[in-house]
Coordinates of all heavy atoms in Angstrom, one line a residue:
M1 N 0.8 -1.2 0.0 CA 0.0 0.0 0.0 C 0.9 1.3 0.0 O 1.9 1.2 0.6 CB -0.9 0.0 1.2 CG -1.9 -1.1 1.2 SD -3.1 -0.8 2.4 CE -4.1 -2.3 2.3
S2 N 0.3 2.3 -0.5 CA 1.1 3.5 -0.7 C 1.2 4.3 0.6 O 0.3 4.2 1.5 CB 0.5 4.4 -1.8 OG -0.7 4.9 -1.4
A3 N 2.1 5.2 0.7 CA 2.3 6.1 1.8 C 1.1 7.0 2.0 O 0.7 7.4 3.1 CB 3.6 6.8 1.7
K4 N 0.5 7.4 0.8 CA -0.6 8.2 0.8 C -1.8 7.6 1.5 O -2.5 8.3 2.3 CB -1.0 8.6 -0.6 CG -2.1 9.6 -0.7 CD -2.3 10.1 -2.2 CE -3.5 10.9 -2.3 NZ -3.4 12.3 -1.9
F5 N -2.0 6.3 1.4 CA -3.1 5.6 2.0 C -2.9 5.7 3.5 O -3.8 6.0 4.3 CB -3.1 4.1 1.6 CG -4.1 3.3 2.3 CD1 -5.4 3.3 2.0 CD2 -3.6 2.4 3.3 CE1 -6.3 2.5 2.7 CE2 -4.5 1.6 4.0 CZ -5.9 1.7 3.7
Y6 N -1.7 5.4 4.1 CA -1.4 5.4 5.5 C -1.5 6.9 6.0 O -2.1 7.1 7.1 CB 0.0 4.9 5.8 CG 0.0 3.4 5.6 CD1 0.8 2.8 4.6 CD2 -0.8 2.5 6.4 CE1 0.8 1.5 4.4 CE2 -0.7 1.2 6.1 CZ 0.0 0.7 5.1 OH 0.0 -0.7 4.9
E7 N -1.1 7.9 5.2 CA -1.3 9.3 5.6 C -2.7 9.6 5.8 O -3.1 10.3 6.7 CB -0.6 10.1 4.6 CG -0.6 11.6 5.0 CD 0.2 12.4 3.9 OE1 1.1 11.9 3.3 OE2 -0.2 13.6 3.8
E8 N -3.5 9.1 4.9 CA -5.0 9.4 5.0 C -5.6 8.8 6.3 O -6.4 9.4 7.0 CB -5.7 8.9 3.7 CG -7.2 9.3 3.7 CD -7.8 8.9 2.4 OE1 -7.2 8.7 1.4 OE2 -9.1 8.6 2.4
I9 N -5.2 7.6 6.6 CA -5.7 6.9 7.8 C -5.2 7.8 9.1 O -6.1 8.0 9.9 CB -5.2 5.5 7.9 CG1 -5.9 4.6 6.9 CG2 -5.4 4.9 9.3 CD1 -5.4 3.2 6.8
I10 N -4.0 8.2 9.1 CA -3.5 9.0 10.2 C -4.3 10.3 10.3 O -4.7 10.7 11.4 CB -2.0 9.2 10.1 CG1 -1.2 7.9 10.3 CG2 -1.5 10.3 11.1 CD1 0.2 7.9 9.9
N11 N -4.5 10.9 9.2 CA -5.3 12.2 9.3 C -6.7 11.9 9.7 O -7.2 12.8 10.4 CB -5.3 12.8 7.8 CG -3.9 13.5 7.5 OD1 -3.2 13.8 8.4 ND2 -3.7 13.6 6.2
N12 N -7.3 10.8 9.4 CA -8.6 10.5 9.8 C -8.6 10.3 11.3 O -9.6 10.7 12.0 CB -9.2 9.3 9.1 CG -9.6 9.6 7.7 OD1 -9.8 10.8 7.3 ND2 -9.6 8.5 6.9
Y13 N -7.6 9.6 11.9 CA -7.6 9.4 13.3 C -7.4 10.8 14.0 O -8.0 11.0 15.1 CB -6.4 8.5 13.7 CG -6.6 7.0 13.7 CD1 -7.8 6.5 13.2 CD2 -5.7 6.2 14.1 CE1 -8.0 5.1 13.2 CE2 -5.9 4.8 14.1 CZ -7.1 4.3 13.6 OH -7.3 3.0 13.7
K14 N -6.6 11.6 13.4 CA -6.4 12.9 14.0 C -7.7 13.7 14.1 O -8.0 14.4 15.1 CB -5.3 13.7 13.2 CG -5.0 15.1 13.7 CD -3.9 15.8 12.8 CE -3.6 17.2 13.4 NZ -2.7 17.9 12.5
K15 N -8.4 13.7 13.0 CA -9.7 14.4 12.9 C -10.7 13.8 14.0 O -11.4 14.6 14.7 CB -10.3 14.3 11.6 CG -9.7 15.1 10.5 CD -10.4 15.0 9.2 CE -9.5 15.5 8.0 NZ -10.1 15.1 6.7
L16 N -10.7 12.5 14.1 CA -11.6 11.9 15.1 C -11.2 12.3 16.5 O -12.1 12.6 17.3 CB -11.4 10.4 14.9 CG -12.4 9.5 15.6 CD1 -13.9 9.8 15.2 CD2 -12.1 8.0 15.4
Y17 N -9.9 12.4 16.8 CA -9.4 12.8 18.1 C -9.8 14.3 18.4 O -10.3 14.6 19.4 CB -8.0 12.5 18.3 CG -7.4 13.0 19.6 CD1 -7.8 12.4 20.8 CD2 -6.6 14.1 19.7 CE1 -7.3 12.8 22.0 CE2 -6.1 14.5 20.9 CZ -6.5 13.9 22.1 OH -6.0 14.3 23.3
E18 N -9.6 15.1 17.4 CA -9.8 16.5 17.6 C -11.3 16.9 17.7 O -11.6 17.8 18.4 CB -9.0 17.3 16.5 CG -7.5 17.2 16.7 CD -6.8 17.8 15.5 OE1 -7.4 18.2 14.5 OE2 -5.5 18.0 15.7
T19 N -12.1 16.2 16.9 CA -13.5 16.6 16.9 C -14.3 15.9 18.0 O -15.4 16.4 18.4 CB -14.2 16.2 15.5 OG1 -14.2 14.7 15.4 CG2 -13.6 16.9 14.4
K20 N -13.7 14.9 18.6 CA -14.3 14.1 19.7 C -15.6 13.4 19.3 O -16.4 12.9 20.1 CB -14.7 15.0 20.9 CG -13.6 16.0 21.3 CD -12.5 15.4 22.1 CE -11.6 16.5 22.6 NZ -10.3 16.5 22.0
E21 N -15.9 13.4 18.0 CA -17.1 12.8 17.5 C -17.2 11.3 17.8 O -16.3 10.5 17.6 CB -17.1 12.9 15.9 CG -18.4 12.5 15.3 CD -18.4 12.7 13.8 OE1 -17.8 13.7 13.4 OE2 -19.0 11.9 13.1
G22 N -18.3 10.9 18.5 CA -18.6 9.5 18.7 C -17.7 8.9 19.9 O -17.6 7.7 20.0
Y23 N -17.1 9.8 20.7 CA -16.2 9.2 21.7 C -17.0 8.4 22.7 O -18.3 8.6 22.9 CB -15.5 10.3 22.5 CG -16.3 11.2 23.3 CD1 -16.4 10.9 24.7 CD2 -17.0 12.3 22.8 CE1 -17.2 11.7 25.5 CE2 -17.8 13.1 23.6 CZ -17.9 12.8 25.0 OH -18.7 13.6 25.8
D24 N -16.4 7.4 23.3 CA -17.1 6.6 24.4 C -16.2 6.5 25.6 O -16.6 5.7 26.5 CB -17.5 5.2 23.8 CG -16.2 4.4 23.4 OD1 -15.1 5.0 23.3 OD2 -16.4 3.2 23.3
V25 N -15.2 7.2 25.8 CA -14.3 7.2 26.9 C -14.0 8.6 27.4 O -13.7 9.5 26.6 CB -13.0 6.5 26.6 CG1 -12.0 6.5 27.9 CG2 -13.2 5.1 26.1
K26 N -14.1 8.8 28.7 CA -13.7 10.0 29.3 C -12.5 9.7 30.3 O -12.6 8.8 31.1 CB -14.8 10.7 30.2 CG -16.0 11.1 29.4 CD -17.0 11.7 30.3 CE -18.2 12.2 29.5 NZ -19.3 12.7 30.3
I27 N -11.4 10.4 30.0 CA -10.2 10.2 30.9 C -10.0 11.5 31.6 O -9.9 12.5 31.1 CB -9.0 9.8 30.1 CG1 -9.2 8.5 29.2 CG2 -7.7 9.6 31.0 CD1 -8.0 8.1 28.4
Y28 N -9.9 11.3 33.0 CA -9.6 12.5 33.8 C -8.1 12.4 34.2 O -7.6 11.4 34.8 CB -10.5 12.5 35.1 CG -12.0 12.6 34.7 CD1 -12.8 11.5 34.5 CD2 -12.5 13.9 34.4 CE1 -14.1 11.6 34.2 CE2 -13.8 14.0 34.0 CZ -14.6 12.9 33.9 OH -16.0 13.0 33.5
A29 N -7.4 13.5 34.1 CA -6.0 13.6 34.4 C -5.8 14.9 35.2 O -6.4 15.9 35.0 CB -5.2 13.7 33.2
G30 N -4.8 14.8 36.2 CA -4.5 16.0 36.9 C -5.0 15.8 38.4 O -5.6 14.8 38.7
E31 N -4.8 16.9 39.1 CA -5.3 16.9 40.5 C -6.2 18.2 40.7 O -5.9 19.2 40.0 CB -4.1 17.0 41.4 CG -3.2 15.7 41.4 CD -2.1 15.7 42.3 OE1 -2.1 16.6 43.3 OE2 -1.2 14.9 42.2
K32 N -7.1 18.0 41.6 CA -8.0 19.2 41.9 C -7.2 20.4 42.3 O -6.2 20.2 43.0 CB -9.0 18.8 43.0 CG -10.0 17.8 42.6 CD -10.9 17.5 43.7 CE -12.0 16.4 43.3 NZ -12.9 16.1 44.3
P33 N -7.5 21.5 41.9 CA -8.6 21.9 41.1 C -8.3 21.9 39.6 O -9.1 22.4 38.8 CB -8.9 23.4 41.6 CG -7.5 23.9 41.8 CD -6.8 22.7 42.4
N34 N -7.2 21.4 39.2 CA -6.8 21.4 37.8 C -6.9 20.0 37.1 O -5.9 19.5 36.6 CB -5.3 21.9 37.7 CG -5.1 23.3 38.2 OD1 -6.0 24.1 38.0 ND2 -4.1 23.5 39.0
I35 N -8.1 19.6 37.0 CA -8.3 18.3 36.4 C -8.9 18.6 34.9 O -9.7 19.4 34.7 CB -9.4 17.4 37.1 CG1 -8.9 17.1 38.5 CG2 -9.8 16.2 36.3 CD1 -9.8 16.4 39.4
K36 N -8.3 17.9 34.0 CA -8.7 18.0 32.6 C -9.4 16.7 32.1 O -8.9 15.6 32.5 CB -7.5 18.3 31.7 CG -7.9 18.6 30.3 CD -6.7 19.0 29.4 CE -7.2 19.3 28.0 NZ -6.1 19.7 27.1
E37 N -10.5 16.9 31.4 CA -11.2 15.8 30.9 C -10.9 15.6 29.4 O -11.0 16.5 28.6 CB -12.7 16.1 31.0 CG -13.6 14.9 30.6 CD -15.1 15.2 30.8 OE1 -15.5 15.5 32.0 OE2 -15.9 15.2 29.9
F38 N -10.5 14.4 29.1 CA -10.2 14.0 27.7 C -11.3 13.1 27.1 O -11.7 12.2 27.8 CB -8.9 13.2 27.6 CG -7.7 14.1 28.0 CD1 -7.3 14.2 29.3 CD2 -7.0 14.8 27.0 CE1 -6.2 15.0 29.7 CE2 -5.9 15.6 27.4 CZ -5.5 15.7 28.7
H39 N -11.7 13.3 25.9 CA -12.7 12.5 25.2 C -12.0 11.7 24.1 O -11.4 12.3 23.2 CB -13.8 13.3 24.6 CG -14.5 14.1 25.7 ND1 -15.3 15.2 25.4 CD2 -14.6 13.9 27.0 CE1 -15.8 15.7 26.5 NE2 -15.4 15.0 27.5
V40 N -12.1 10.4 24.2 CA -11.4 9.5 23.3 C -12.2 8.3 22.9 O -13.4 8.1 23.4 CB -10.0 9.0 23.9 CG1 -9.1 10.2 24.0 CG2 -10.2 8.3 25.2
H41 N -11.7 7.4 22.1 CA -12.5 6.3 21.6 C -11.8 5.0 22.1 O -10.6 4.8 21.9 CB -12.4 6.3 20.0 CG -13.1 7.6 19.5 ND1 -12.4 8.7 19.4 CD2 -14.4 7.8 19.0 CE1 -13.2 9.7 18.9 NE2 -14.4 9.1 18.7
S42 N -12.6 4.2 22.7 CA -12.1 2.9 23.3 C -11.4 2.0 22.2 O -10.4 1.4 22.4 CB -13.1 2.1 24.0 OG -14.2 1.7 23.2
F43 N -12.1 2.0 21.0 CA -11.5 1.2 19.9 C -10.1 1.5 19.6 O -9.2 0.7 19.5 CB -12.4 1.3 18.7 CG -11.8 0.7 17.4 CD1 -11.9 -0.7 17.3 CD2 -11.2 1.4 16.5 CE1 -11.3 -1.3 16.2 CE2 -10.6 0.8 15.4 CZ -10.7 -0.6 15.2
I44 N -9.8 2.8 19.5 CA -8.5 3.3 19.2 C -7.5 3.0 20.4 O -6.4 2.5 20.2 CB -8.4 4.7 18.8 CG1 -9.2 4.8 17.5 CG2 -7.0 5.3 18.6 CD1 -9.4 6.3 17.0
L45 N -8.0 3.3 21.6 CA -7.1 3.0 22.8 C -6.8 1.5 22.8 O -5.6 1.2 23.0 CB -7.9 3.4 24.1 CG -8.0 4.9 24.4 CD1 -8.8 5.0 25.7 CD2 -6.7 5.6 24.5
K46 N -7.7 0.7 22.6 CA -7.5 -0.8 22.7 C -6.6 -1.3 21.5 O -5.8 -2.2 21.7 CB -8.8 -1.5 22.7 CG -9.5 -1.4 24.0 CD -10.8 -2.2 24.1 CE -11.9 -1.6 23.3 NZ -13.2 -2.4 23.5
T47 N -6.7 -0.7 20.3 CA -5.9 -1.2 19.2 C -4.5 -0.6 19.2 O -3.6 -1.1 18.6 CB -6.6 -0.9 17.9 OG1 -6.9 0.5 17.7 CG2 -7.9 -1.7 17.8
Q48 N -4.3 0.6 19.8 CA -3.1 1.3 19.7 C -2.2 1.1 21.0 O -1.1 1.6 21.0 CB -3.3 2.8 19.5 CG -3.9 3.1 18.1 CD -3.0 2.7 17.0 OE1 -3.0 1.7 16.4 NE2 -2.1 3.7 16.6
S49 N -2.8 0.6 22.1 CA -2.1 0.5 23.4 C -2.4 -0.8 24.1 O -3.5 -1.1 24.4 CB -2.5 1.7 24.2 OG -2.1 1.5 25.6
E50 N -1.3 -1.5 24.3 CA -1.4 -2.8 25.1 C -1.9 -2.5 26.5 O -2.7 -3.3 27.1 CB -0.1 -3.5 25.2 CG 0.2 -4.4 24.0 CD -0.8 -5.5 23.7 OE1 -1.2 -6.2 24.6 OE2 -1.3 -5.6 22.6
F51 N -1.5 -1.4 27.1 CA -1.9 -1.0 28.4 C -3.4 -0.9 28.5 O -4.1 -1.5 29.3 CB -1.3 0.3 28.8 CG -1.8 0.8 30.1 CD1 -1.3 0.3 31.4 CD2 -2.8 1.8 30.2 CE1 -1.9 0.8 32.6 CE2 -3.3 2.3 31.4 CZ -2.9 1.8 32.5
Y52 N -4.0 -0.1 27.6 CA -5.5 0.1 27.6 C -6.2 -1.2 27.2 O -7.3 -1.5 27.7 CB -5.8 1.3 26.7 CG -5.5 2.6 27.4 CD1 -4.6 3.5 26.9 CD2 -6.2 3.0 28.6 CE1 -4.3 4.6 27.6 CE2 -6.0 4.2 29.2 CZ -5.0 5.0 28.7 OH -4.7 6.2 29.3
K53 N -5.6 -1.9 26.2 CA -6.3 -3.2 25.8 C -6.4 -4.1 27.0 O -7.5 -4.6 27.3 CB -5.4 -3.9 24.8 CG -6.0 -5.2 24.3 CD -5.1 -5.8 23.2 CE -5.6 -7.1 22.7 NZ -4.8 -7.7 21.7
K54 N -5.4 -4.2 27.9 CA -5.4 -5.1 29.0 C -6.4 -4.5 30.1 O -7.1 -5.3 30.7 CB -4.0 -5.3 29.6 CG -3.1 -6.2 28.7 CD -1.7 -6.3 29.3 CE -0.9 -7.1 28.4 NZ 0.5 -7.2 28.8
A55 N -6.4 -3.2 30.2 CA -7.2 -2.5 31.2 C -8.7 -2.8 30.8 O -9.5 -3.1 31.8 CB -6.9 -1.1 31.3
F56 N -9.1 -2.7 29.6 CA -10.5 -3.0 29.2 C -10.9 -4.4 29.3 O -12.0 -4.7 29.7 CB -10.7 -2.4 27.7 CG -11.0 -1.0 27.6 CD1 -10.0 -0.1 27.4 CD2 -12.3 -0.6 27.8 CE1 -10.3 1.3 27.3 CE2 -12.6 0.8 27.8 CZ -11.6 1.7 27.5
I57 N -9.9 -5.3 29.1 CA -10.2 -6.8 29.2 C -10.5 -7.0 30.7 O -11.4 -7.7 31.1 CB -9.1 -7.6 28.7 CG1 -9.1 -7.5 27.1 CG2 -9.2 -9.1 29.1 CD1 -7.9 -8.2 26.5
A58 N -9.6 -6.5 31.6 CA -9.7 -6.8 33.0 C -10.7 -5.9 33.7 O -11.1 -6.1 34.8 CB -8.3 -6.6 33.6
K59 N -11.1 -4.9 33.0 CA -12.0 -3.9 33.6 C -11.4 -3.2 34.8 O -12.1 -2.9 35.8 CB -13.4 -4.4 33.8 CG -14.1 -5.1 32.7 CD -15.4 -4.5 32.4 CE -16.2 -5.2 31.4 NZ -15.7 -5.2 30.1
D60 N -10.1 -3.2 34.7 CA -9.3 -2.7 35.9 C -9.3 -1.1 35.9 O -8.8 -0.5 35.1 CB -7.8 -3.2 35.7 CG -7.0 -2.8 36.9 OD1 -7.5 -2.7 38.0 OD2 -5.7 -2.7 36.7
G61 N -10.0 -0.6 36.9 CA -10.1 0.8 37.1 C -11.0 1.5 36.1 O -10.9 2.7 35.9
I62 N -11.9 0.7 35.4 CA -12.8 1.3 34.5 C -14.2 1.2 34.9 O -14.6 0.1 35.3 CB -12.6 0.6 33.1 CG1 -11.2 0.8 32.6 CG2 -13.6 1.2 32.1 CD1 -10.9 0.1 31.3
E63 N -14.9 2.3 34.9 CA -16.4 2.1 35.3 C -17.1 2.7 34.1 O -16.5 3.3 33.2 CB -16.7 3.0 36.5 CG -16.4 4.5 36.4 CD -16.9 5.2 37.7 OE1 -18.0 5.5 37.8 OE2 -15.9 5.6 38.4
K64 N -18.4 2.4 34.0 CA -19.2 3.0 32.9 C -20.3 3.8 33.6 O -21.0 3.4 34.5 CB -19.8 1.8 32.1 CG -20.4 2.3 30.8 CD -20.3 1.2 29.7 CE -20.8 1.9 28.4 NZ -20.8 0.9 27.3
K65 N -20.4 5.0 33.0 CA -21.4 6.0 33.5 C -22.0 6.8 32.4 O -21.2 7.3 31.6 CB -20.7 6.9 34.6 CG -21.7 7.9 35.2 CD -20.9 8.7 36.3 CE -21.9 9.6 36.9 NZ -21.2 10.5 37.9
D66 N -23.3 6.8 32.3 CA -24.0 7.6 31.3 C -23.5 7.2 29.9 O -23.3 8.1 29.0 CB -23.9 9.1 31.5 CG -24.5 9.5 32.8 OD1 -25.5 8.9 33.3 OD2 -23.9 10.5 33.5
G67 N -23.2 5.9 29.6 CA -22.8 5.5 28.3 C -21.4 5.7 28.0 O -21.0 5.4 26.8
H68 N -20.6 6.1 28.9 CA -19.1 6.4 28.7 C -18.3 5.6 29.7 O -18.7 5.4 30.8 CB -18.8 7.9 28.8 CG -19.4 8.7 27.9 ND1 -20.6 9.4 28.1 CD2 -19.0 9.1 26.6 CE1 -20.9 10.1 27.0 NE2 -20.0 9.9 26.1
F69 N -17.2 5.1 29.2 CA -16.2 4.5 30.1 C -15.5 5.6 30.8 O -15.2 6.6 30.2 CB -15.2 3.6 29.4 CG -15.8 2.4 28.7 CD1 -16.0 2.4 27.3 CD2 -16.2 1.3 29.4 CE1 -16.6 1.3 26.7 CE2 -16.7 0.2 28.8 CZ -17.0 0.2 27.4
I70 N -15.3 5.5 32.1 CA -14.6 6.5 32.9 C -13.3 5.9 33.4 O -13.2 4.9 34.0 CB -15.4 6.9 34.1 CG1 -16.9 7.3 33.6 CG2 -14.8 8.0 34.8 CD1 -17.0 8.5 32.7
L71 N -12.2 6.7 33.1 CA -10.8 6.3 33.5 C -10.2 7.5 34.2 O -10.4 8.6 33.8 CB -10.0 5.9 32.4 CG -10.4 4.7 31.6 CD1 -11.0 5.1 30.3 CD2 -9.2 3.7 31.4
N72 N -9.4 7.2 35.2 CA -8.6 8.2 35.9 C -7.1 7.9 35.6 O -6.7 6.8 35.7 CB -8.8 8.2 37.4 CG -10.2 8.6 37.6 OD1 -10.6 9.8 37.4 ND2 -11.0 7.8 38.2
S73 N -6.4 9.0 35.2 CA -5.0 8.8 34.8 C -4.1 9.4 35.9 O -4.4 10.4 36.5 CB -4.7 9.6 33.5 OG -3.3 9.6 33.2
S74 N -3.0 8.7 36.1 CA -2.0 9.2 37.1 C -1.1 10.3 36.4 O -0.3 10.9 37.1 CB -1.2 8.1 37.7 OG -0.5 7.4 36.6
H75 N -1.2 10.4 35.1 CA -0.4 11.4 34.4 C -0.9 12.8 34.5 O -2.1 13.0 34.7 CB -0.3 11.0 32.9 CG 0.3 9.7 32.6 ND1 1.6 9.4 32.9 CD2 -0.3 8.6 32.0 CE1 1.9 8.2 32.5 NE2 0.8 7.7 32.0
S76 N -0.1 13.8 34.3 CA -0.5 15.1 34.3 C -1.3 15.3 33.0 O -1.1 14.6 32.0 CB 0.7 16.1 34.3 OG 1.4 16.1 33.1
P77 N -2.2 16.3 32.9 CA -2.9 16.5 31.7 C -2.0 16.8 30.5 O -2.3 16.3 29.4 CB -3.7 17.8 32.0 CG -3.9 17.8 33.4 CD -2.6 17.2 34.0
K78 N -0.9 17.5 30.7 CA 0.0 17.7 29.6 C 0.7 16.4 29.0 O 0.7 16.2 27.8 CB 1.1 18.7 30.0 CG 2.0 19.2 28.9 CD 2.9 20.3 29.5 CE 3.7 21.0 28.4 NZ 4.5 22.1 28.9
V79 N 1.1 15.6 29.9 CA 1.7 14.3 29.6 C 0.7 13.4 28.9 O 0.9 12.8 27.8 CB 2.4 13.6 30.7 CG1 2.7 12.2 30.4 CG2 3.6 14.4 31.2
L80 N -0.5 13.3 29.4 CA -1.6 12.5 28.8 C -1.9 13.0 27.4 O -2.1 12.2 26.6 CB -2.8 12.5 29.7 CG -3.9 11.5 29.3 CD1 -3.4 10.1 29.2 CD2 -5.1 11.6 30.1
E81 N -2.0 14.3 27.3 CA -2.3 14.8 25.9 C -1.2 14.4 24.9 O -1.6 13.9 23.8 CB -2.3 16.4 26.0 CG -2.5 17.0 24.6 CD -3.9 17.0 24.1 OE1 -4.8 16.9 24.9 OE2 -4.1 17.0 22.9
I82 N 0.0 14.4 25.3 CA 1.1 13.9 24.4 C 0.9 12.4 24.1 O 1.0 12.0 23.0 CB 2.5 14.2 25.1 CG1 2.8 15.7 25.1 CG2 3.6 13.5 24.3 CD1 3.9 16.1 25.9
L83 N 0.7 11.6 25.2 CA 0.5 10.2 25.0 C -0.7 9.9 24.1 O -0.6 9.0 23.2 CB 0.4 9.5 26.3 CG 1.6 9.5 27.2 CD1 1.2 9.0 28.6 CD2 2.7 8.7 26.6
L84 N -1.8 10.6 24.3 CA -3.0 10.3 23.5 C -2.7 10.7 22.0 O -3.1 10.0 21.1 CB -4.2 11.0 24.0 CG -4.7 10.5 25.3 CD1 -5.8 11.4 25.8 CD2 -5.3 9.1 25.1
R85 N -2.1 11.8 21.8 CA -1.8 12.2 20.4 C -0.9 11.2 19.8 O -1.1 10.9 18.5 CB -1.2 13.6 20.4 CG -2.2 14.7 20.6 CD -1.7 16.1 20.3 NE -2.8 17.1 20.4 CZ -3.7 17.3 19.4 NH1 -3.6 16.6 18.3 NH2 -4.6 18.1 19.6
M86 N 0.1 10.7 20.5 CA 1.0 9.6 19.9 C 0.1 8.4 19.5 O 0.4 7.8 18.5 CB 2.1 9.3 20.9 CG 3.1 10.3 21.1 SD 4.3 9.9 22.4 CE 4.8 8.2 22.0
K87 N -0.8 8.0 20.4 CA -1.6 6.8 20.1 C -2.5 7.0 19.0 O -2.8 6.1 18.2 CB -2.3 6.4 21.3 CG -1.5 5.9 22.5 CD -0.7 4.7 22.0 CE 0.3 4.2 23.0 NZ 1.3 3.3 22.4
F88 N -3.1 8.3 18.9 CA -4.1 8.5 17.8 C -3.4 8.8 16.5 O -4.0 8.7 15.4 CB -5.0 9.7 18.2 CG -6.2 9.2 19.0 CD1 -6.1 9.0 20.3 CD2 -7.4 9.0 18.4 CE1 -7.1 8.6 21.1 CE2 -8.5 8.6 19.1 CZ -8.4 8.4 20.4
L89 N -2.2 9.2 16.5 CA -1.5 9.7 15.3 C -0.4 8.8 14.8 O 0.3 9.2 13.8 CB -1.0 11.2 15.5 CG -2.1 12.1 16.0 CD1 -1.5 13.5 16.1 CD2 -3.2 12.2 15.0
L90 N -0.2 7.6 15.4 CA 0.8 6.7 14.9 C 0.3 5.9 13.8 O -0.8 5.5 13.8 CB 1.3 5.9 16.1 CG 2.3 6.6 17.1 CD1 2.7 5.6 18.1 CD2 3.4 7.2 16.4

């Protein structure tokens, strides 16, 4: 497959992350009063990260509320943003 095909897929992931369209996961990062909420897609988390794949299988630290999976991150909001962008844009 051509590089253009992969570039298009990456751009689609980027748009999906930035628009938050159809997200089913809320990740909270930081400490009060500076907590940031991230909206992401479980499908992408599970396919792009072994950590999240295992967490979803084990349901370890994951709850479901109002149709969304809820996760709490030990990372700072800035670090989590970098990690999420890496997972969505690789």
Side-chain angles (χ1 to χ4, degrees):
M1 294 193 186
S2 72
K4 185 173 174 73
F5 174 76
Y6 292 113
E7 185 178 330
E8 186 174 332
I9 290 173
I10 290 169
N11 286 334
N12 288 339
Y13 274 7
K14 181 179 179 184
K15 287 178 196 172
L16 192 60
Y17 178 68
E18 291 173 349
T19 64
K20 318 277 188 252
E21 187 177 326
Y23 72 92
D24 63 342
V25 178
K26 294 179 182 180
I27 302 177
Y28 296 96
E31 295 181 17
K32 290 182 182 179
N34 298 318
I35 295 176
K36 184 172 179 183
E37 183 176 303
F38 294 88
H39 299 161
V40 295
H41 301 80
S42 63
F43 171 77
I44 295 174
L45 287 177
K46 291 186 280 188
T47 58
Q48 296 293 94
S49 167
E50 278 299 312
F51 172 81
Y52 284 113
K53 181 179 179 179
K54 289 176 183 178
F56 274 96
I57 290 171
K59 306 237 187 295
D60 186 27
I62 299 175
E63 64 177 281
K64 193 148 188 185
K65 183 177 179 184
D66 300 327
H68 294 95
F69 295 104
I70 308 296
L71 297 106
N72 293 298
S73 175
S74 60
H75 297 297
S76 72
K78 191 173 188 174
V79 169
L80 185 61
E81 176 75 27
I82 292 167
L83 292 172
L84 289 173
R85 286 195 173 275
M86 286 174 49
K87 290 300 173 195
F88 274 80
L89 304 179
L90 287 179

